């Protein structure tokens, strides 16, 4: 089911998307996405609250990447709200945004990993600042603390936009569009399908 509030006939109803969509070779699309995520480091993780069905987003730092940089890993306190959300509904979105307005949205499913080998592999001493030391010799914020887990997002689709040209040139495009009514060409708007992601991972 889709929503529409207009009939534009043969003309595109979303000229911005038509003007900016960009579909290079898969290797380039994936490479540019991975590079952009690396430049951001922090992103917003969106999950669904079981009791209300509402969505909630939390700022998260990427701890590591797997699957050629497409599957994202994050440290978590296993006793937190986000793990409760993911237990009831593993579907997840991770969004990134930088100061230039470039952005990426990755949708997929999440697993809560408590395997000690993986936790040790990606452990960071800074986790102690977030979990604290409860003074019982077990819950100390160290790599053996059972509260420390890893959220692994297996990406299924991705959409992102990276800027084309300088801030000056993009500003000119926006100003030109304001005067002429022509959609501004300011981004490379790209989509990576589930099939493309599977194809990319299969050759890793």
């Amino acid at each position: 089911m889709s929503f529409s509030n207009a009939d534009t006939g043969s003309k595109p109803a979303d000229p911005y998307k038509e003007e900016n969509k960009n579909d290079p070779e898969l290797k380039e699309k994936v490479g540019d996405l991975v590079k952009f995520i690396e430049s951001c480091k922090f992103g917003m993780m969106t999950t669904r609250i079981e009791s209300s069905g509402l969505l909630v987003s939390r700022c998260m730092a990427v701890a590591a990447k797997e699957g050629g940089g497409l599957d994202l890993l994050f440290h978590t306190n296993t006793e937190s709200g986000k793990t409760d959300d993911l237990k009831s509904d593993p579907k997840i979105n991770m969004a990134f945004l930088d100061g230039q307005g470039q952005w990426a949205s990755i949708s997929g499913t999440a697993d809560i990993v408590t395997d000690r080998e993986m936790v040790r592999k990606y452990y960071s001493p800074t986790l102690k600042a977030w979990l604290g030391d409860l003074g019982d010799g077990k819950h100390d914020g160290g790599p053996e603390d059972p509260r420390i887990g890893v959220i692994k997002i297996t990406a299924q689709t991705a959409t992102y936009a990276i800027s084309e040209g300088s801030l000056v040139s993009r500003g000119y495009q926006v100003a030109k569009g304001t005067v002429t009514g022509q959609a501004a060409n300011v981004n490379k708007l790209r989509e990576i399908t589930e099939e493309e992601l599977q194809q990319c991972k299969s050759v890793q």
Side-chain angles (χ1 to χ4, degrees), residues 20-78:
N20 289 273
K21 65 181 180 180
N22 181 262
D23 191 27
E25 292 293 323
L26 180 57
K27 183 177 180 180
E28 180 181 343
K29 283 200 294 187
V30 171
D32 285 348
L33 173 61
V34 172
K35 182 178 178 181
F36 176 68
I37 293 172
E38 289 176 347
S39 72
C40 290
K41 178 62 176 178
F42 293 97
M44 297 298 289
M45 177 183 289
T46 301
T47 58
R48 186 180 300 278
I49 304 170
E50 180 182 16
S51 59
S52 64
L54 297 175
L55 301 176
V56 60
S57 298
R58 302 171 176 89
C59 182
M60 299 288 287
V62 179
K65 296 184 291 297
E66 294 182 346
L70 296 170
D71 296 335
L72 307 177
L73 280 67
F74 302 84
H75 295 121
T76 187
N77 182 338
T78 60

Side-chain angles (χ1 to χ4, degrees), residues 126-171:
T126 58
L127 289 170
K128 289 186 177 182
W130 301 103
L131 283 93
D133 186 343
L134 303 188
D136 59 4
K138 183 177 182 180
H139 304 95
D140 58 2
E144 305 306 316
D145 189 328
R147 295 175 297 165
I148 298 178
V150 173
I151 293 175
K152 179 179 178 179
I153 298 179
T154 300
Q156 293 182 325
T157 64
T159 304
Y160 70 100
I162 53 176
S163 299
E164 192 166 58
S166 65
L167 283 172
V168 173
S169 65
R170 281 182 279 139

